[in-house]
């Protein structure tokens, strides 16, 4: 099969409306499943979450000056505290914690703006950033594999799902083949693969249209409004500090993929996430965060234009906020279809981490680099795929955050030979020169 050289559409590039529409739909559908799952698990309204993801992404693009291509969807880190508060004090009380979590983002953004971002180069050298990227991608592998190959019985047990595995395989290979094509097909391989997987699922009788039939064409979602509760604030808001670590990892991953140094824009990026979370909490939605799924889409398509994210956000706003039938139609996509696509998207994030090792000339002959990468990757991936987190009172530190903190500690403690220090400075200089170019 002939390999086509795909066009690279840069962050500031613009495409025609006829191309922007399918590219925007592709991003919206990639985030849809995870964004809907969080409100389903917490008891919040899924359509509100979809709508707020669109509004939040628009806020993020405005705050960052349209310079960082990212999509914001529901954050999984807040599920446990929201469920606890919802069961004891009510979901409206939990929303007050969501709003304050957004204010925590803004406070951290303000502090970083005052102290600068030069400390990031010391705390997060290329070997650590690349390792965290691998953790982000591979850490999601269990989720993708479960979606692709397993089904859940009414009693809660899981089992291998043969037909689902076939559907996932068809979707996965379709995405790979489409991504190798040229022209428009090569820029929307995920969307085309989802459509093909959906058609095959339809032929196999796996699509249930009842919810689509029952949904109205036009209607507003069920908004909720926060009721102030100090207990909810104390339990929910501090989780934002954990998500800050996740946010930094995602921002560095985006920068590596698009070829830009986004470290100086970290305060703006965090502020955009904070405003998005505040808005979501005010309307009755969950906290938001940047999405790995959409980072994977950028990696496979090489389309980085922020214009496309405006379209994605607009579609989410309309689908979640005005048209329940369209939202129900998208939710009718069988899980194995999204699992097949996710296997590719999450794998590409990990692959970009491996590429970063190469492009930054990380020397694995140096014991220091070898130790940091080994511990961060195995600790992070092991915890993420096993569902293990470190309990901190009423909170829990997930695998990615734990491995990042351990990596930072190792980077500060392990001695750096003078020759290795020179290599590090040269690598950082080369990276910055490449980003400027």
């Amino acid at each position: 099969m002939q390999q086509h050289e795909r066009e690279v559409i840069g962050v500031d590039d613009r495409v025609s409306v006829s191309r922007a529409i399918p590219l925007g739909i592709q991003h919206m559908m990639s985030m849809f499943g995870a964004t809907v799952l969080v409100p389903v698990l917490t008891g919040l309204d899924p359509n509100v979450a979809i709508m707020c993801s669109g509004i939040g992404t628009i806020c993020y693009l405005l705050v960052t000056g349209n310079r960082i291509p990212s999509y914001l969807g529901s954050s999984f880190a807040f599920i446990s505290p929201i469920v606890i508060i919802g069961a004891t004090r009510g979901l409206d009380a939990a929303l007050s914690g969501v709003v304050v979590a957004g204010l925590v983002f803004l406070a951290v953004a303000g502090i970083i703006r005052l102290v600068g971002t030069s400390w990031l180069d010391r705390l997060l050298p290329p070997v650590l950033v690349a390792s965290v990227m691998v953790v982000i991608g591979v850490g999601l592998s269990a989720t993708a594999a479960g979606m692709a190959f397993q089904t859940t019985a009414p009693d809660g047990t899981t089992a291998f799902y043969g037909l689902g595995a076939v559907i996932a395989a068809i979707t996965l290979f379709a995405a790979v083949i489409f991504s190798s094509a040229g022209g428009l097909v090569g820029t929307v391989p995920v969307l085309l693969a989802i459509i093909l997987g959906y058609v095959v699922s339809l032929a196999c009788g796996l699509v249930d249209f009842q919810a689509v039939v029952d949904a109205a064409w036009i209607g507003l979602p069920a908004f909720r409004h926060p009721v102030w509760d100090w207990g909810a604030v104390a339990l929910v808001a501090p989780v934002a500090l954990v998500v800050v670590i996740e946010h930094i990892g995602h921002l560095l991953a985006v920068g590596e993929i698009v070829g830009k140094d986004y470290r100086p824009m970290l305060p703006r990026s965090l502020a955009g996430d904070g405003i998005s979370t505040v808005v979501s909490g005010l309307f009755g939605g969950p906290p938001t965060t940047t999405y790995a799924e959409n980072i994977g889409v950028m990696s496979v398509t090489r389309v980085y234009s922020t214009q496309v994210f405006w379209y994605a956000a607009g579609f989410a706003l309309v689908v979640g906020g005005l048209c329940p039938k369209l939202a129900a139609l998208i939710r009718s996509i069988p899980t194995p279809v999204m699992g097949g696509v996710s296997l590719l998207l999450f794998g590409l994030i990990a692959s970009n981490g491996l590429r970063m090792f190469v492009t930054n000339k990380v020397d694995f002959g140096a014991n220091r680099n070898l130790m940091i990468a080994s511990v961060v990757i195995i600790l992070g991936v092991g915890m993420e795929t096993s569902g293990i987190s470190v309990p901190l009172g009423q909170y829990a530190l997930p695998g990615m955050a734990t491995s990042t903190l351990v990596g930072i500690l190792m980077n500060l403690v392990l001695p750096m030979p003078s020759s290795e220090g020179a290599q590090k400075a040269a690598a950082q200089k080369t990276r910055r020169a490449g980003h400027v170019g």
Side-chain angles (χ1 to χ4, degrees), residues 80-161:
S80 293
I82 291 177
V83 169
I84 293 172
I85 294 299
T88 57
R89 290 180 164 90
L91 287 174
D92 292 343
L95 291 175
S96 67
V98 172
V99 172
V100 178
L103 297 179
V104 172
F105 274 111
L106 291 171
V108 173
I111 293 172
I112 294 176
R113 184 175 179 83
L114 289 175
V115 303
T117 57
S118 58
W119 52 273
L120 283 174
D121 287 328
R122 174 66 180 123
L123 292 183
L124 300 169
V127 63
L128 178 53
V129 175
S131 299
V132 171
M133 287 179 65
V134 173
V135 171
I136 293 173
V138 181
L140 292 166
S141 61
T143 299
M147 293 168 63
F149 304 130
Q150 289 185 326
T151 184
T152 303
D155 61 358
T157 59
T158 58
F160 181 79
Y161 185 27

Side-chain angles (χ1 to χ4, degrees), residues 159-360:
F160 181 79
Y161 185 27
L163 181 56
V166 172
I167 299 294
I170 292 173
T171 307
L172 170 62
F173 287 113
V176 172
I177 293 171
F178 290 145
S179 67
S180 301
L184 179 61
V185 172
T187 59
V188 288
V190 175
L191 176 60
L192 294 177
I194 291 173
I195 292 173
L196 177 60
Y198 190 83
V199 171
V200 175
S201 299
L202 189 61
C204 295
L206 298 183
V207 180
D208 183 1
F209 282 113
Q210 189 57 51
V212 181
V213 173
D214 294 339
W217 278 104
I218 299 176
L220 294 175
F223 295 117
R224 309 181 73 107
H225 303 291
V227 173
W228 188 262
D229 187 297
W230 281 109
V233 170
L235 187 62
V236 177
V239 180
L241 297 174
V242 175
V243 182
V244 165
I245 300 173
E246 177 186 65
H247 185 107
I248 294 174
H250 284 175
L251 183 65
L252 297 177
V254 171
E256 180 65 23
I257 290 172
V258 307
K260 292 181 178 289
D261 184 4
Y262 283 130
R263 284 173 169 83
M265 292 199 67
L266 177 59
R268 281 196 178 195
S269 185
L270 285 171
D273 202 343
I275 292 174
S276 172
T277 296
V278 169
V279 171
S280 184
L282 291 175
F283 280 108
T288 62
T289 186
T290 47
Y291 255 31
E293 289 87 341
N294 299 90
I295 297 174
V297 170
M298 285 192 290
S299 181
V300 70
T301 63
R302 300 174 72 178
V303 177
Y304 314 134
S305 174
T306 50
Q307 175 200 11
V308 172
F309 287 88
W310 280 93
Y311 278 80
F315 291 140
L317 176 57
V318 171
V319 168
L322 299 175
C323 189
K325 193 172 287 290
L326 281 178
L329 179 63
I330 298 176
R331 286 203 297 271
S332 71
I333 298 173
T335 301
V337 173
M338 299 309 300
V341 167
S342 297
L343 287 170
L344 175 62
L345 298 183
F346 298 153
L348 283 167
I349 298 172
S351 296
N352 276 288
L354 298 177
R355 184 180 69 176
M356 188 176 182
F357 284 128
V358 177
T359 57
N360 286 274

Side-chain angles (χ1 to χ4, degrees), residues 12-58:
D12 300 319
D13 292 342
R14 295 294 177 266
V15 297
S16 65
V17 173
S18 61
R19 295 187 69 184
I21 289 175
L23 289 168
I25 294 174
Q26 179 172 246
H27 272 290
M28 181 192 68
M29 296 184 72
S30 297
M31 68 82 193
F32 202 93
T35 293
V36 167
L37 182 59
V38 174
V40 167
L41 294 176
T42 57
L44 297 171
D45 187 87
N47 284 4
V48 172
I50 298 165
M51 183 196 75
C52 289
S53 76
I55 296 175
T57 299
I58 291 172

